[in-house]
Amino acid sequence: MENPRDMAEHTHRSERKRRDSFGMFDGYDSCSEDSSSSSSSEDSEDEVPSMPASLPIIKNNGQVYTYPDGKAGMATCEMCGMVGVRDAFYSKTKRFCSVSCSRSYSSNSKKASILARLQGKPPTKKAKVLQKQPLMAKLAAYAQYQANQQNQAKSKSMVPVESFDWGQYVCSNNLVGAPVSCFKHVPMGMCWGDIAEGMRVEVINSDTNLSTKVYWVAGIVKLAGFKALLRYEGFDNDSSKDFWCNLCIPEVHPVGWCASSVKPLVPPKSIHHKYSNWKAFLVKRLTGAKTLPPDFATKVHENMQYPFKKLMRVEVVDKAHLCRTRVALVEQVIGGRLRLVYEESQDGTDDFWCHMYSPLIHSIGWSRSIGHRFKRSEVTKKMEGQMDSPSQLFLKIKDVDQSGEWFKDGMKLEAIDPLNLSAICVATVRKVLADGYLMIGIDGSEAADGSDWFCYHSTSPSIFPVGFCEINNIELTPPRGYTKLPFKWFDYLREMGSIAAPVKLFNKEVPNHGFRKGMKLEAVDLMEPRLVCVATVTRIVHRLLRIHFDGWEDEYDQWVDCESPDLYPVGWCQLTGYQLQPPATQTAREAPPNVSKQKKKTAQYKGQKKKRKIPVGRRPIGLGGPLRRRSFSGDEEQTPPHYLSHFSGSGRPPTSGVEHDRSLNSEASLQLKEETPEMDEFTFSQGISDQESNGSGSFYIRQEP
């Protein structure tokens, strides 16, 4: 039993802690760099033995266990029977797990009952009382052990994403990452709030000699998406121990978490000598400072839950025939991105990657409801567990009124080519569907049977009125074979006997998106949509962003809407476990000696054949001649896109290793593809979000930084 003097001292300390201004220093002096162990039973109860987080609870009688490497490292407490790491036990002899066990054992009157219990006999009532405190320690250790086991299991299921260091990339080039608030579809995108430089957090202290996990306060020096450059409090202008950290990982906490969780706050050893009273130092520094919301970790967890589940059925664009949709099954969900396998795929390799908010996927029955072409599945028997995805899970499209002046077949407009997202082309409305949807064809490159028409909604930010490119100084790609250059819309409309679609029918809303020229982000390569790459915003025209993939030529750039679900902040891949493709190096982009440099785009269509980026540079510079856009008609004049097995993945996110050889060495391979125009080995992706914007703007005001 504790003596009255010890109990009074303990009560006094508890009351003193409660008087702390912040209530966050309660656990501060529970651990320090100079703490040591003693075998004396008179040691202060303030000393808390170090207990490893991974301490397993093993019930056995007095046996010494070994580490996996064979060294004797486990011990059993002679008082309570708790098994743990020997170095973490109390006293020099390592016979007890805590001060209380040491004191209790020193009482000769209790030795008999203790020995009886260790021998497997029922303990006395007094013995049960004596093991109360060790039992709580065991329960706490076991809870921590379970948490660590779950974290280890989670980390094993995640794809390793440490191949690219965003922190070094940002710091060495003095780059700026797009804020998380620019991406409404990502975790915390709608509740990022006022997280900014200067905020304080509690993180693990890596600058210590202690064997246990301890924490310290750090301030945000620089923000880049989800990632923050942190500096331990007390280092002032010394950046030698700065480190980058994803703010949404479980190891980052708001100030005060250590106190509420009874975790030790220990200053870094490099500055331990600077102050004698660290508690007063923290009170002074943290007065008036901002920190993360108390429920930040809870919100992150909630935002990481996704409604789509495996084996849900959806309608998705047919990558072999853009003009129709097919039924596909959700095979995998990572960070809101879906790996869809077409229902008729026998081996599961005929797949397609897109975000759950992509305008390319719809609920079952969507095609029939609007009059869109649909390939009926030949699969008659459903797999067990299949279900149609609820309609409320899909992107909501703005309602439009088609009763008055509306789009008509044959009207001309400008549109982003889904087979070459770096180009905005002359296009035609080929068919008007229900609910505001349109079938669009690229002039001069259409298949005779219309199999390469693609569906855009009338509010889509990837279609534009006639004259949009000229007004905003964007190169407009004229129809293939059109000889009257430079292209003039007035002359072309007169020659074709066509009219331009009215300007008022287009989406002119420009949200206050927050993007700026030069900002870094992680972006999907929409010509190979399973890849997420390091990218840069190089141009902004209203709500339209020009995305450049770092390390690659400008001809691989893509026009993407500011609200596209295929754009992500820095650190998104690390947070979700998706593999990030790093920038290509100069040597990786060098073409083989027999391959000539590809000409700059004029009226040519590069199409999908120029894509893409696996691994860090297996992509050719060119094919030594003009390339033409993909056709589905089998017309031998039109070269199909040249790459195979881009969608024959194994079901995992792409890895950074060399997965496929993208080298194009001869024209024979092109001829082979020409003879098999119906192959499914190419992709289409619209790549633009149809989400309703929250601002307004005009197409006729140039808005370029």
Side-chain angles (χ1 to χ4, degrees):
M1 227 177 176
E2 297 179 347
N3 60 56
R5 182 170 59 88
D6 290 340
M7 294 180 63
E9 182 181 351
H10 183 73
T11 303
H12 177 69
R13 282 192 71 254
S14 300
E15 292 178 354
R16 188 177 72 249
K17 287 178 181 179
R18 285 194 293 268
R19 290 196 298 267
D20 285 337
S21 302
F22 286 81
M24 62 184 73
F25 309 113
D26 294 355
Y28 169 76
D29 51 4
S30 62
C31 194
S32 69
E33 294 284 350
D34 301 324
S35 60
S36 59
S37 299
S38 172
S39 59
S40 171
S41 62
E42 298 302 321
D43 286 343
S44 170
E45 291 235 19
D46 292 344
E47 180 180 351
V48 177
S50 59
M51 184 179 296
S54 58
L55 181 64
I57 305 303
I58 306 173
K59 294 185 177 179
N60 213 315
N61 294 330
Q63 298 183 15
V64 176
Y65 287 74
T66 60
Y67 286 121
D69 61 2
K71 298 178 181 179
M74 303 296 285
T76 304
C77 179
E78 296 184 15
M79 172 60 204
C80 69
M82 178 179 177
V83 178
V85 179
R86 189 178 186 85
D87 291 338
F89 269 44
Y90 176 76
S91 81
K92 293 180 180 179
T93 58
K94 308 300 181 186
R95 296 170 58 195
F96 310 104
C97 67
S98 67
V99 179
S100 295
C101 282
S102 174
R103 289 182 175 178
S104 299
Y105 191 87
S106 64
S107 174
N108 293 328
S109 61
K110 301 177 180 66
K111 282 185 179 180
S113 60
I114 294 168
L115 291 174
R117 185 184 55 75
L118 291 176
Q119 293 169 3
K121 299 178 182 179
T124 64
K125 292 183 179 180
K126 290 184 178 180
K128 289 182 179 179
V129 174
L130 286 172
Q131 63 177 338
K132 181 182 293 186
Q133 183 170 342
L135 177 62
M136 296 306 294
K138 286 197 288 184
L139 291 175
Y142 184 62
Q144 185 66 47
Y145 169 69
Q146 285 185 318
N148 287 343
Q149 290 294 98
Q150 293 175 358
N151 290 337
Q152 289 175 8
K154 183 178 180 181
S155 63
K156 288 179 181 178
S157 66
M158 293 173 111
V159 179
V161 291
E162 289 79 19
S163 57
F164 176 71
D165 186 355
W166 261 119
Q168 182 180 0
Y169 191 62
V170 169
C171 285
S172 60
N173 299 284
N174 195 26
L175 305 175
V176 177
V180 174
S181 56
C182 292
F183 310 87
K184 306 303 182 186
H185 57 282
V186 304
M188 305 302 293
M190 299 293 289
C191 50
W192 193 246
D194 297 327
I195 295 178
E197 296 174 4
M199 292 184 66
R200 306 304 206 280
V201 293
E202 291 180 353
V203 292
I204 294 175
N205 178 7
S206 59
D207 183 21
T208 178
N209 291 328
L210 295 173
S211 59
T212 55
K213 186 183 292 185
V214 295
Y215 298 82
W216 191 241
V217 178
I220 299 177
V221 178
K222 185 180 179 67
L223 269 177
F226 285 119
K227 299 185 76 71
L229 181 63
L230 300 179
R231 181 175 300 170
Y232 289 123
E233 202 66 43
F235 275 86
D236 299 328
N237 296 324
D238 182 2
S239 61
S240 60
K241 297 295 181 179
D242 289 2
F243 60 99
W244 284 89
C245 183
N246 195 311
L247 291 179
C248 291
I249 63 175
E251 288 76 16
V252 178
H253 309 279
V255 172
W257 176 85
C258 283
S260 60
S261 303
V262 197
K263 300 294 182 181
L265 279 170
V266 178
K269 64 178 182 180
S270 301
I271 58 171
H272 195 274
H273 62 280
K274 289 184 65 175
Y275 300 95
S276 59
N277 190 340
W278 280 99
K279 186 180 297 186
F281 167 81
L282 284 182
V283 171
K284 181 178 180 181
R285 283 294 183 90
L286 298 180
T287 301
K290 292 184 177 180
T291 188
L292 299 176
D295 60 345
F296 186 78
T298 303
K299 286 185 177 179
V300 171
H301 177 75
E302 293 173 351
N303 277 251
M304 295 284 285
Q305 308 305 308
Y306 305 103
F308 281 91
K309 307 300 179 185
K310 187 174 181 179
L311 296 183
M312 280 187 173
R313 301 171 76 239
V314 300
E315 289 185 11
V316 64
V317 65
D318 185 346
K319 64 184 182 183
H321 297 273
L322 311 188
C323 65
R324 70 186 185 189
T325 57
R326 296 171 61 184
V327 173
L329 300 176
V330 176
E331 176 63 25
Q332 197 172 6
V333 183
I334 302 180
R337 292 189 59 75
L338 311 178
R339 177 178 176 256
L340 304 173
V341 176
Y342 290 112
E343 193 171 49
E344 295 173 300
S345 176
Q346 299 296 325
D347 56 2
T349 59
D350 189 10
D351 61 357
F352 186 82
W353 280 92
C354 67
H355 194 272
M356 63 182 183
Y357 294 146
S358 170
L360 301 179
I361 61 172
H362 310 276
S363 58
I364 298 296
W366 172 84
S367 298
R368 177 183 296 180
S369 68
I370 70 162
H372 194 284
R373 289 179 61 180
F374 175 77
K375 181 184 179 182
R376 189 176 301 276
S377 174
E378 297 178 1
V379 177
T380 56
K381 186 178 180 181
K382 292 184 180 181
M383 295 173 54
E384 184 179 354
Q386 285 187 16
M387 62 172 292
D388 294 349
S389 300
S391 58
Q392 63 267 23
L393 301 186
F394 297 88
L395 183 70
K396 300 299 184 293
I397 300 298
K398 183 180 179 181
D399 293 332
V400 294
D401 182 12
Q402 297 182 221
S403 60
E405 187 176 12
W406 193 244
F407 291 96
K408 292 183 173 60
D409 294 0
M411 283 184 172
K412 298 294 181 181
L413 68 162
E414 298 175 3
I416 296 176
D417 181 358
L419 296 179
N420 181 12
L421 295 167
S422 66
I424 299 179
C425 308
V426 174
T428 303
V429 177
R430 291 303 179 187
K431 187 177 181 181
V432 178
L433 307 178
D435 295 341
Y437 287 95
L438 310 169
M439 297 303 295
I440 305 294
I442 298 295
D443 285 20
S445 303
E446 298 175 63
D449 59 356
S451 57
D452 59 351
W453 296 352
F454 46 95
C455 184
Y456 279 149
H457 193 264
S458 59
T459 60
S460 170
S462 57
I463 60 174
F464 317 97
V466 165
F468 173 83
C469 286
E470 181 180 0
I471 291 169
N472 292 284
N473 195 26
I474 299 174
E475 180 183 3
L476 176 67
T477 303
R480 182 168 57 86
Y482 189 76
T483 57
K484 295 183 179 180
L485 302 177
F487 179 84
K488 299 293 184 183
W489 263 115
F490 181 80
D491 296 337
Y492 184 71
L493 291 173
R494 184 177 56 186
E495 292 173 14
M496 302 300 294
S498 302
I499 61 173
V503 175
K504 66 180 182 180
L505 300 182
F506 293 85
N507 179 9
K508 294 181 285 294
E509 296 178 347
V510 181
N512 184 19
H513 46 71
F515 287 102
R516 298 291 180 267
K517 183 177 179 180
M519 283 183 171
K520 296 292 178 180
L521 68 163
E522 299 174 2
V524 174
D525 175 5
L526 292 166
M527 304 314 297
E528 174 105 25
R530 65 191 180 94
L531 299 180
V532 178
C533 313
V534 174
T536 307
V537 177
T538 58
R539 190 177 177 190
I540 302 173
V541 181
H542 305 299
R543 62 182 300 147
L544 205 58
L545 308 179
R546 183 79 170 180
I547 301 299
H548 173 77
F549 297 101
D550 289 19
W552 298 99
E553 295 85 355
D554 293 345
E555 63 184 278
Y556 300 105
D557 292 359
Q558 296 178 1
W559 287 109
V560 181
D561 182 58
C562 65
E563 293 183 343
S564 168
D566 297 302
L567 302 178
Y568 309 102
V570 169
W572 178 86
C573 282
Q574 180 193 24
L575 178 63
T576 60
Y578 208 95
Q579 179 64 45
L580 177 65
Q581 301 297 316
T585 60
Q586 182 63 37
T587 54
R589 292 187 285 109
E590 291 178 356
N594 61 333
V595 179
S596 62
K597 180 70 177 177
Q598 196 172 28
K599 295 180 181 179
K600 199 68 177 174
K601 294 188 295 297
T602 54
Q604 303 170 0
Y605 283 86
K606 304 299 189 300
Q608 281 178 293
K609 57 183 74 63
K610 70 183 182 181
K611 306 297 177 183
R612 211 332 217 282
K613 293 182 188 64
I614 4 187
V616 198
R618 306 287 282 180
R619 182 173 54 182
I621 298 299
L623 293 173
L627 303 178
R628 296 178 181 176
R629 186 176 180 273
R630 165 74 188 207
S631 169
F632 296 90
S633 64
D635 186 352
E636 292 185 358
E637 280 191 333
Q638 298 172 349
T639 304
H642 186 100
Y643 56 61
L644 296 173
S645 66
H646 276 193
F647 287 86
S648 57
S650 61
R652 298 165 309 193
T655 59
S656 59
V658 177
E659 297 178 337
H660 303 285
D661 189 351
R662 298 294 185 227
S663 299
L664 305 180
N665 297 322
S666 67
E667 305 245 357
S669 59
L670 287 177
Q671 183 61 33
L672 176 63
K673 289 279 295 187
E674 289 175 352
E675 295 171 357
T676 58
E678 292 301 317
M679 290 182 66
D680 288 354
E681 302 298 333
F682 92 104
T683 179
F684 153 78
S685 189
Q686 179 174 329
I688 310 297
S689 171
D690 284 336
Q691 293 178 354
E692 184 178 354
S693 59
N694 56 11
S696 61
S698 170
F699 276 112
Y700 297 98
I701 300 176
R702 294 179 59 180
Q703 295 183 0
E704 183 181 356

